[in-house]
Amino acid sequence: MIINFHQITEDDIEQYSAFIKDFYIEVSDLAPPSLFLWRDSFQVQIDQTADYAVLLCTYHEATYCLAPLIKPGVDPAPILQRIHAYFHRQNQAAVFRAVPRELLSLFPTDRYRIIPDRTYWDYLYRTKDLIELRGRKYQQKRNHINRFQQFYPFTYHSLTPEHFPACLRLFEHWAAEKTGQPEVHEERLALKEAFKHFSLLNLKGGALEVYGEIQAFAIGSRLNKDTAIVHFEKANAEFSGIYAVINQQFIAREWADTKYINREDDMGLPGLRQAKERYHPFRMVEKFTVVEVGA
């Protein structure tokens, strides 16, 4: 048998969502909404059976698999051999990215090179910490929220389709200062897909209305039984403290029943890393790149 990748579809994402209920997924890369929303930018393809799910991505001319998900009791060796054969037909060694530590056992070190990749580690926070913001380490965040509440009367809304056009307008306002950055266009495409497939992907969102206009919004989904993941968070930075408010309000209003919040990686960007570290993650979700050797 050969691996049979095809472009991921709505039907695939429904089947994949059902399949991964047997796994405890922690890495944001394997979240069904992440795969579907960014499917065009990352050219996401899938091969899925009752025994396994394998995702293939091509981004900036680099082709790689995400960590293969294989049902317990199924021999991984034939599946990995099929993946290898696919890469060998493309005249390259097999490459796997965003592999969590718990799946490294699939890759014996005599056949693979295992490389920690801090750039793509996810930030995992305690939900309670992000809601309550207790202690000296969150003093600055509390100050930002208090100042915002003092100066700006606002209303929180759980996101519904009626809010989508205003959220897109806000995104374009945010994007106006970032012309020429391809990542912004990719995020725009993903956001439009989120609004188009909001129900299919079981997304939840929240928005802040200030002076009659949506000035901040956030969108997320459930990653596993304990964890929610934040896919988008955008705000009008002209309102000082607004990011701290949408962060807290969105988690408190939509995800208070979770233990953890995954806020994805920082893409190696110093400013984004600093912003995420200021919220004091509970821990990092480590990811590794795995490369076949001797191919």
Side-chain angles (χ1 to χ4, degrees), residues 6 45 67-68 100 115 126 137 151 166 193 203 211 272-273:
H6 62 273
Q45 299 184 62
I115 308 160
R126 289 188 179 94
K137 64 184 180 181
F151 287 103
E193 289 294 317
L203 298 174
Y211 300 139
L272 190 54
R273 178 168 297 186

Side-chain angles (χ1 to χ4, degrees), residues 123-140:
Y123 289 75
L124 193 70
Y125 304 86
R126 289 188 179 94
T127 302
K128 186 177 180 180
D129 290 344
L130 295 185
I131 295 173
E132 297 179 353
L133 299 173
R134 289 185 177 181
R136 291 182 60 184
K137 64 184 180 181
Y138 289 113
Q139 181 65 55
Q140 188 178 50

Side-chain angles (χ1 to χ4, degrees), residues 183-217:
E183 295 83 1
V184 174
H185 177 63
E186 292 166 1
E187 190 168 12
R188 179 184 292 109
L189 292 177
L191 181 60
K192 289 180 178 180
E193 289 294 317
F195 292 146
K196 185 177 179 181
H197 300 283
F198 207 77
S199 297
L200 169 71
L201 300 173
N202 294 311
L203 298 174
K204 293 171 73 173
L208 298 182
E209 181 182 331
V210 186
Y211 300 139
E213 292 287 339
I214 299 298
Q215 302 293 356
F217 71 89

Side-chain angles (χ1 to χ4, degrees), residues 68-282:
L69 297 175
I70 302 171
K71 283 283 183 75
V74 175
D75 183 5
I79 300 165
L80 290 171
Q81 287 171 5
R82 291 176 212 161
I83 297 171
H84 292 171
Y86 174 87
F87 278 94
H88 297 169
R89 289 195 297 273
Q90 318 304 317
N91 297 313
Q92 72 170 91
V95 178
F96 302 85
R97 291 187 182 175
V99 178
R101 182 176 291 278
E102 60 269 21
L103 293 183
L104 289 179
S105 59
L106 290 172
F107 306 101
T109 54
D110 61 335
R111 292 199 58 196
Y112 300 90
R113 187 159 50 99
I114 296 173
I115 308 160
D117 199 345
R118 170 64 180 83
T119 298
Y120 299 107
W121 289 4
D122 287 340
Y123 289 75
L124 193 70
Y125 304 86
R126 289 188 179 94
T127 302
K128 186 177 180 180
D129 290 344
L130 295 185
I131 295 173
E132 297 179 353
L133 299 173
R134 289 185 177 181
R136 291 182 60 184
K137 64 184 180 181
Y138 289 113
Q139 181 65 55
Q140 188 178 50
K141 297 298 181 186
R142 295 198 303 274
N143 290 344
H144 287 160
I145 292 170
N146 290 336
R147 193 176 303 117
F148 181 89
Q149 292 175 332
Q150 180 182 354
F151 287 103
Y152 306 114
F154 73 91
T155 304
Y156 178 91
H157 301 282
S158 291
L159 219 56
T160 64
E162 69 179 287
H163 301 117
F164 295 169
C167 290
L168 281 172
R169 288 195 298 271
L170 175 60
F171 179 89
E172 295 304 340
H173 177 79
W174 170 86
E177 298 179 355
K178 299 172 175 61
T179 55
Q181 298 182 22
E183 295 83 1
V184 174
H185 177 63
E186 292 166 1
E187 190 168 12
R188 179 184 292 109
L189 292 177
L191 181 60
K192 289 180 178 180
E193 289 294 317
F195 292 146
K196 185 177 179 181
H197 300 283
F198 207 77
S199 297
L200 169 71
L201 300 173
N202 294 311
L203 298 174
K204 293 171 73 173
L208 298 182
E209 181 182 331
V210 186
Y211 300 139
E213 292 287 339
I214 299 298
Q215 302 293 356
F217 71 89
I219 297 171
S221 65
R222 188 172 288 271
L223 181 59
N224 58 51
K225 64 184 179 67
D226 299 317
T227 311
I229 179 173
V230 178
H231 299 289
F232 301 95
E233 186 180 82
K234 291 290 176 281
N236 184 349
E238 295 169 14
F239 294 88
S240 178
I242 195 168
Y243 272 102
V245 177
I246 187 60
N247 186 313
Q248 183 196 45
Q249 289 285 314
F250 179 54
I251 303 306
R253 303 291 191 99
E254 311 298 341
W255 300 112
D257 63 337
T258 65
K259 292 182 181 178
Y260 308 110
I261 302 295
N262 182 315
R263 293 184 59 82
E264 301 185 334
D265 59 60
D266 59 36
M267 299 181 291
L269 300 174
L272 190 54
R273 178 168 297 186
Q274 187 177 55
K276 294 195 175 190
E277 287 177 343
R278 283 176 178 163
Y279 272 99
H280 307 285
F282 166 59

